[in-house]
PDB file of all heavy atoms in Angstrom:
ATOM      1  N   SER A  48      -1.214  12.783 -17.595  1.00  0.00           N
ATOM      2  CA  SER A  48      -0.878  14.204 -17.586  1.00  0.00           C
ATOM      3  C   SER A  48       0.605  14.410 -17.869  1.00  0.00           C
ATOM      4  O   SER A  48       1.032  15.480 -18.277  1.00  0.00           O
ATOM      5  CB  SER A  48      -1.253  14.834 -16.244  1.00  0.00           C
ATOM      6  OG  SER A  48      -0.282  14.502 -15.266  1.00  0.00           O
ATOM      7  N   LYS A  49       1.374  13.369 -17.628  1.00  0.00           N
ATOM      8  CA  LYS A  49       2.806  13.452 -17.905  1.00  0.00           C
ATOM      9  C   LYS A  49       3.131  12.975 -19.316  1.00  0.00           C
ATOM     10  O   LYS A  49       4.307  12.808 -19.671  1.00  0.00           O
ATOM     11  CB  LYS A  49       3.574  12.592 -16.882  1.00  0.00           C
ATOM     12  CG  LYS A  49       3.622  13.234 -15.521  1.00  0.00           C
ATOM     13  CD  LYS A  49       4.552  14.437 -15.578  1.00  0.00           C
ATOM     14  CE  LYS A  49       4.317  15.388 -14.440  1.00  0.00           C
ATOM     15  NZ  LYS A  49       5.094  16.631 -14.587  1.00  0.00           N
ATOM     16  N   GLY A  50       2.100  12.698 -20.080  1.00  0.00           N
ATOM     17  CA  GLY A  50       2.312  12.333 -21.475  1.00  0.00           C
ATOM     18  C   GLY A  50       2.636  10.863 -21.695  1.00  0.00           C
ATOM     19  O   GLY A  50       3.055  10.475 -22.788  1.00  0.00           O
ATOM     20  N   HIS A  51       2.449  10.034 -20.672  1.00  0.00           N
ATOM     21  CA  HIS A  51       2.722   8.612 -20.872  1.00  0.00           C
ATOM     22  C   HIS A  51       1.579   7.949 -21.629  1.00  0.00           C
ATOM     23  O   HIS A  51       0.456   8.433 -21.639  1.00  0.00           O
ATOM     24  CB  HIS A  51       2.924   7.916 -19.517  1.00  0.00           C
ATOM     25  CG  HIS A  51       4.129   8.401 -18.775  1.00  0.00           C
ATOM     26  ND1 HIS A  51       5.405   8.260 -19.245  1.00  0.00           N
ATOM     27  CD2 HIS A  51       4.237   9.069 -17.595  1.00  0.00           C
ATOM     28  CE1 HIS A  51       6.261   8.796 -18.387  1.00  0.00           C
ATOM     29  NE2 HIS A  51       5.573   9.298 -17.378  1.00  0.00           N
ATOM     30  N   ASP A  52       1.925   6.822 -22.221  1.00  0.00           N
ATOM     31  CA  ASP A  52       0.951   6.054 -22.986  1.00  0.00           C
ATOM     32  C   ASP A  52       0.352   4.994 -22.056  1.00  0.00           C
ATOM     33  O   ASP A  52       1.037   4.068 -21.635  1.00  0.00           O
ATOM     34  CB  ASP A  52       1.698   5.390 -24.164  1.00  0.00           C
ATOM     35  CG  ASP A  52       0.776   4.527 -25.002  1.00  0.00           C
ATOM     36  OD1 ASP A  52      -0.446   4.588 -24.801  1.00  0.00           O
ATOM     37  OD2 ASP A  52       1.296   3.789 -25.855  1.00  0.00           O
ATOM     38  N   VAL A  53      -0.913   5.168 -21.700  1.00  0.00           N
ATOM     39  CA  VAL A  53      -1.504   4.314 -20.672  1.00  0.00           C
ATOM     40  C   VAL A  53      -2.733   3.580 -21.181  1.00  0.00           C
ATOM     41  O   VAL A  53      -3.621   4.189 -21.770  1.00  0.00           O
ATOM     42  CB  VAL A  53      -1.935   5.149 -19.442  1.00  0.00           C
ATOM     43  CG1 VAL A  53      -2.442   4.232 -18.337  1.00  0.00           C
ATOM     44  CG2 VAL A  53      -0.802   6.014 -18.934  1.00  0.00           C
ATOM     45  N   ALA A  54      -2.766   2.283 -20.944  1.00  0.00           N
ATOM     46  CA  ALA A  54      -4.011   1.527 -21.127  1.00  0.00           C
ATOM     47  C   ALA A  54      -4.541   1.216 -19.728  1.00  0.00           C
ATOM     48  O   ALA A  54      -3.869   0.568 -18.932  1.00  0.00           O
ATOM     49  CB  ALA A  54      -3.738   0.237 -21.893  1.00  0.00           C
ATOM     50  N   PHE A  55      -5.711   1.722 -19.424  1.00  0.00           N
ATOM     51  CA  PHE A  55      -6.314   1.526 -18.102  1.00  0.00           C
ATOM     52  C   PHE A  55      -7.468   0.546 -18.276  1.00  0.00           C
ATOM     53  O   PHE A  55      -8.485   0.870 -18.871  1.00  0.00           O
ATOM     54  CB  PHE A  55      -6.784   2.878 -17.564  1.00  0.00           C
ATOM     55  CG  PHE A  55      -7.321   2.845 -16.152  1.00  0.00           C
ATOM     56  CD1 PHE A  55      -7.090   1.781 -15.292  1.00  0.00           C
ATOM     57  CD2 PHE A  55      -8.055   3.936 -15.675  1.00  0.00           C
ATOM     58  CE1 PHE A  55      -7.584   1.782 -13.998  1.00  0.00           C
ATOM     59  CE2 PHE A  55      -8.551   3.948 -14.378  1.00  0.00           C
ATOM     60  CZ  PHE A  55      -8.317   2.863 -13.545  1.00  0.00           C
ATOM     61  N   ILE A  56      -7.242  -0.660 -17.758  1.00  0.00           N
ATOM     62  CA  ILE A  56      -8.082  -1.796 -18.123  1.00  0.00           C
ATOM     63  C   ILE A  56      -8.936  -2.279 -16.951  1.00  0.00           C
ATOM     64  O   ILE A  56      -8.435  -2.491 -15.849  1.00  0.00           O
ATOM     65  CB  ILE A  56      -7.190  -2.979 -18.569  1.00  0.00           C
ATOM     66  CG1 ILE A  56      -6.262  -2.562 -19.708  1.00  0.00           C
ATOM     67  CG2 ILE A  56      -8.033  -4.177 -18.957  1.00  0.00           C
ATOM     68  CD1 ILE A  56      -6.951  -2.107 -20.964  1.00  0.00           C
ATOM     69  N   CYS A  57     -10.215  -2.458 -17.233  1.00  0.00           N
ATOM     70  CA  CYS A  57     -11.094  -3.067 -16.228  1.00  0.00           C
ATOM     71  C   CYS A  57     -12.281  -3.687 -16.953  1.00  0.00           C
ATOM     72  O   CYS A  57     -12.425  -3.544 -18.170  1.00  0.00           O
ATOM     73  CB  CYS A  57     -11.565  -2.017 -15.221  1.00  0.00           C
ATOM     74  SG  CYS A  57     -12.298  -2.720 -13.724  1.00  0.00           S
ATOM     75  N   GLY A  58     -13.104  -4.370 -16.201  1.00  0.00           N
ATOM     76  CA  GLY A  58     -14.286  -4.975 -16.805  1.00  0.00           C
ATOM     77  C   GLY A  58     -15.004  -5.837 -15.799  1.00  0.00           C
ATOM     78  O   GLY A  58     -14.521  -6.038 -14.687  1.00  0.00           O
ATOM     79  N   SER A  59     -16.164  -6.335 -16.191  1.00  0.00           N
ATOM     80  CA  SER A  59     -16.942  -7.173 -15.284  1.00  0.00           C
ATOM     81  C   SER A  59     -16.486  -8.623 -15.365  1.00  0.00           C
ATOM     82  O   SER A  59     -16.271  -9.139 -16.450  1.00  0.00           O
ATOM     83  CB  SER A  59     -18.428  -7.100 -15.657  1.00  0.00           C
ATOM     84  OG  SER A  59     -18.888  -5.781 -15.580  1.00  0.00           O
ATOM     85  N   ASP A  60     -16.367  -9.230 -14.202  1.00  0.00           N
ATOM     86  CA  ASP A  60     -16.115 -10.660 -14.104  1.00  0.00           C
ATOM     87  C   ASP A  60     -17.486 -11.324 -14.044  1.00  0.00           C
ATOM     88  O   ASP A  60     -18.214 -11.150 -13.075  1.00  0.00           O
ATOM     89  CB  ASP A  60     -15.290 -10.928 -12.842  1.00  0.00           C
ATOM     90  CG  ASP A  60     -15.186 -12.409 -12.521  1.00  0.00           C
ATOM     91  OD1 ASP A  60     -15.470 -13.234 -13.403  1.00  0.00           O
ATOM     92  OD2 ASP A  60     -14.809 -12.723 -11.384  1.00  0.00           O
ATOM     93  N   GLU A  61     -17.838 -12.044 -15.087  1.00  0.00           N
ATOM     94  CA  GLU A  61     -19.247 -12.425 -15.248  1.00  0.00           C
ATOM     95  C   GLU A  61     -19.521 -13.920 -15.149  1.00  0.00           C
ATOM     96  O   GLU A  61     -20.638 -14.350 -15.384  1.00  0.00           O
ATOM     97  CB  GLU A  61     -19.746 -11.912 -16.605  1.00  0.00           C
ATOM     98  CG  GLU A  61     -19.511 -10.425 -16.759  1.00  0.00           C
ATOM     99  CD  GLU A  61     -20.087  -9.865 -18.037  1.00  0.00           C
ATOM    100  OE1 GLU A  61     -19.717 -10.324 -19.122  1.00  0.00           O
ATOM    101  OE2 GLU A  61     -20.931  -8.963 -17.933  1.00  0.00           O
ATOM    102  N   HIS A  62     -18.502 -14.673 -14.836  1.00  0.00           N
ATOM    103  CA  HIS A  62     -18.739 -16.116 -14.777  1.00  0.00           C
ATOM    104  C   HIS A  62     -18.929 -16.580 -13.333  1.00  0.00           C
ATOM    105  O   HIS A  62     -18.996 -15.772 -12.418  1.00  0.00           O
ATOM    106  CB  HIS A  62     -17.568 -16.851 -15.445  1.00  0.00           C
ATOM    107  CG  HIS A  62     -17.488 -16.556 -16.912  1.00  0.00           C
ATOM    108  ND1 HIS A  62     -16.308 -16.391 -17.579  1.00  0.00           N
ATOM    109  CD2 HIS A  62     -18.480 -16.357 -17.816  1.00  0.00           C
ATOM    110  CE1 HIS A  62     -16.564 -16.126 -18.863  1.00  0.00           C
ATOM    111  NE2 HIS A  62     -17.866 -16.097 -19.017  1.00  0.00           N
ATOM    112  N   GLY A  63     -19.018 -17.881 -13.188  1.00  0.00           N
ATOM    113  CA  GLY A  63     -19.091 -18.418 -11.840  1.00  0.00           C
ATOM    114  C   GLY A  63     -20.488 -18.858 -11.450  1.00  0.00           C
ATOM    115  O   GLY A  63     -21.496 -18.409 -11.998  1.00  0.00           O
ATOM    116  N   ALA A  64     -20.500 -19.732 -10.473  1.00  0.00           N
ATOM    117  CA  ALA A  64     -21.749 -20.367 -10.085  1.00  0.00           C
ATOM    118  C   ALA A  64     -22.707 -19.434  -9.365  1.00  0.00           C
ATOM    119  O   ALA A  64     -23.917 -19.610  -9.420  1.00  0.00           O
ATOM    120  CB  ALA A  64     -21.446 -21.567  -9.195  1.00  0.00           C
ATOM    121  N   ALA A  65     -22.165 -18.390  -8.708  1.00  0.00           N
ATOM    122  CA  ALA A  65     -23.053 -17.474  -7.988  1.00  0.00           C
ATOM    123  C   ALA A  65     -24.043 -16.851  -8.960  1.00  0.00           C
ATOM    124  O   ALA A  65     -25.207 -16.608  -8.626  1.00  0.00           O
ATOM    125  CB  ALA A  65     -22.242 -16.395  -7.291  1.00  0.00           C
TER     126      ALA A  65
END
Side-chain angles (χ1 to χ4, degrees):
Chain A
S48 78
K49 286 289 161 187
H51 295 297
D52 178 10
V53 185
F55 185 16
I56 304 299
C57 195
S59 301
D60 170 16
E61 306 185 302
H62 295 142

